[in-house]
Amino acid sequence: MPLGKLSLRLGIALIAMPASLLLAGLLHSGYPAGLFVPALVLAILYWIDLRAALGEAASDAPGVRAACRTLAIPGLVIGLGLTALALSAAVDAWRALRTGSLAQAGFSPGALVLLALALLCGVLLIRGAWRSARGRSVGRARGLRLDSWFHVTFDDTHVHLDVHPPGRPAWQDAFPWSAIVRVCFKDEGLYASDGLYIFTTLRPESFVVPTEADGGEALFAALFERGYFPDEVFRQAISSTDGGFYCWPALEEGTGAR
């Protein structure tokens, strides 16, 4: 489904949630409030689909990064809301267990299962929102490994990129070793592929290569062996887990990779 339609449906679902509660208050009736849960479920599903669609874009364009960060807001709000609701209910259940029976307090086995599911969904949404808020240098396509569609090869003179992102046009590119002027490594944490930003004399922007691509780690090792990444910087890069950004030659203060 196009990103525009998914965004519109997510927006409608998000608006329907508070609107149902407001309508229930205005009409002094509980029936409109019954729309809240379906709207919440739809909002979660559309949020997941939209996030997956952005992942399939497999782009480092600023617009995609900005969309990922914007998408983090509703995911974080819904996730925190579900988590807070589940924890509050868990506290009530604990108190009921200490003072009487859960059944008398209205906590049936089915309610406890829903409580656990709400907590799980909340935590997963918060985790997904956090990953979206961090942005993404190289996306993972849903259900496909990077090394199945992003291929890197090189010989004595050139580096070749052969990319077939799912749902998008394939492209190929190449650059000579001799054109490289700077190499940067971006740590993307435990759940995303780290990225190599290779700057050349061919164009202002860098070539971005995920280390999890087919041939990505071999390219990283070759850059080190050919002297484009000194030993000290290379060791810092491969041991990084905190989102570090390492370049050689070092970037001037206030500049960044593109």
Side-chain angles (χ1 to χ4, degrees), residues 80-257:
L80 288 174
L82 282 175
T83 303
L85 180 64
L87 291 177
S88 176
V91 171
D92 291 340
W94 172 251
R95 290 175 178 172
L97 185 61
R98 294 184 62 185
T99 58
S101 68
L102 291 175
Q104 291 177 350
F107 289 98
S108 64
L112 294 177
V113 171
L114 289 177
L115 176 63
L117 289 176
L119 181 60
L120 177 62
C121 289
V123 171
L124 290 177
L125 284 170
I126 292 173
R127 176 190 173 193
W130 170 250
R131 291 177 60 187
S132 295
R134 290 180 59 214
R136 45 197 294 282
S137 63
V138 181
R140 291 174 181 264
R142 180 174 56 184
L144 290 177
R145 292 169 53 93
L146 271 168
D147 57 10
S148 69
W149 55 268
F150 200 121
H151 306 281
V152 185
T153 57
F154 51 86
D155 51 32
D156 290 338
T157 59
H158 284 76
V159 176
H160 304 271
L161 308 178
D162 185 14
V163 185
H164 299 263
R168 295 171 62 86
W171 56 272
Q172 293 80 35
D173 214 333
F175 56 88
W177 292 102
S178 59
I180 298 176
V181 295
R182 175 177 282 114
V183 176
C184 297
F185 175 91
K186 177 65 171 68
D187 169 57
E188 292 294 340
L190 300 177
Y191 303 107
S193 173
D194 300 326
L196 294 173
Y197 293 76
I198 303 174
F199 294 84
T200 68
T201 58
L202 304 180
R203 64 187 194 186
E205 65 274 13
S206 63
F207 292 90
V208 182
V209 179
T211 57
E212 292 185 7
D214 175 31
E217 292 186 358
L219 175 64
F220 192 21
L223 288 167
F224 167 70
E225 293 171 356
R226 291 171 178 263
Y228 292 103
F229 230 52
D231 181 70
E232 180 180 355
V233 182
F234 180 81
R235 292 181 183 277
Q236 290 178 344
I238 61 176
S239 62
S240 175
T241 58
D242 58 356
F245 193 70
Y246 306 90
C247 294
W248 187 263
L251 290 172
E252 296 179 3
E253 187 175 354
T255 61

